[in-house]
């Protein structure tokens, strides 16, 4: 069993909202793709455009930029995500894991609950202390 999770931030790295959900058995890369896909569906629902998707997975970034190989076990979610990226005029970029720990904590929360998708406007208690650390990690990467 696993989970997925993600964070919406403004241009300064401040929390806007977060999400997480439960997954049945899956590969780690597949869970990252679910995080991106669910985030993209929220981008579409909210009518957002030109969002920068950040992932600490170079493989996820590569799949989304180049497309999945024919034998990819989760090919459909990659292709659906690529379609949403084009439709919403989003871009994807790699970030260091130090700037993405809130999303990891949310994914862990997703693995520990029953709902397929939970959206939170306020950061859960276990995530709050990590918000500033992620902002510092993101700023460190930009230097």
């Amino acid at each position: 069993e696993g989970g997925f999770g993600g964070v919406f931030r403004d241009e300064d790295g401040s929390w806007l909202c977060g999400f997480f959900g439960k997954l049945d058995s899956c590969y780690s890369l597949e869970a990252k793709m679910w995080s991106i896909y669910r985030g993209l569906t929220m981008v579409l629902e909210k009518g957002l455009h030109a969002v920068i998707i950040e992932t600490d997975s170079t493989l996820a970034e590569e799949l989304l930029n180049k497309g999945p190989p024919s034998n990819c076990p989760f090919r459909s979610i990659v292709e659906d995500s690529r379609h949403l990226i084009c439709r919403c005029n989003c871009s994807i970029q790699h970030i260091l894991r130090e700037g993405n720990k809130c999303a990891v904590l949310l994914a862990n929360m997703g693995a520990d609950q029953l709902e397929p998708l939970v959206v939170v406007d306020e950061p859960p208690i276990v995530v709050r202390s990590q918000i500033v650390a992620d902002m510092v990690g993101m700023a460190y990467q930009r230097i």
Side-chain angles (χ1 to χ4, degrees), residues 29-113:
L29 179 57
E30 184 177 7
K32 291 191 183 283
M33 292 306 308
W34 273 106
S35 295
I36 293 168
Y37 174 76
R38 288 296 196 163
L40 284 165
T41 60
M42 291 175 65
V43 166
L44 184 65
E45 289 168 5
K46 293 176 181 285
L48 303 174
H49 295 281
V51 172
I52 300 170
I53 302 156
E54 297 178 329
T55 179
D56 61 10
S57 171
T58 55
L59 288 174
E61 179 189 24
E62 184 176 320
L63 285 172
L64 291 168
N65 284 328
K66 295 181 180 176
S70 59
N71 63 346
C72 180
F74 43 92
R75 181 183 179 109
S76 62
I77 193 163
V78 175
E79 290 178 343
D80 288 351
S81 296
R82 286 171 51 90
H83 172 75
L84 289 172
I85 287 171
C86 290
R87 184 170 174 189
C88 299
N89 190 29
C90 295
S91 61
I92 184 160
Q93 69 181 27
H94 181 263
I95 62 167
L96 298 175
R97 191 160 177 90
E98 290 80 7
N100 204 31
K101 290 184 180 175
C102 282
V104 171
L105 290 171
L106 289 168
N108 291 340
M109 288 177 62
D112 293 334
Q113 52 87 45

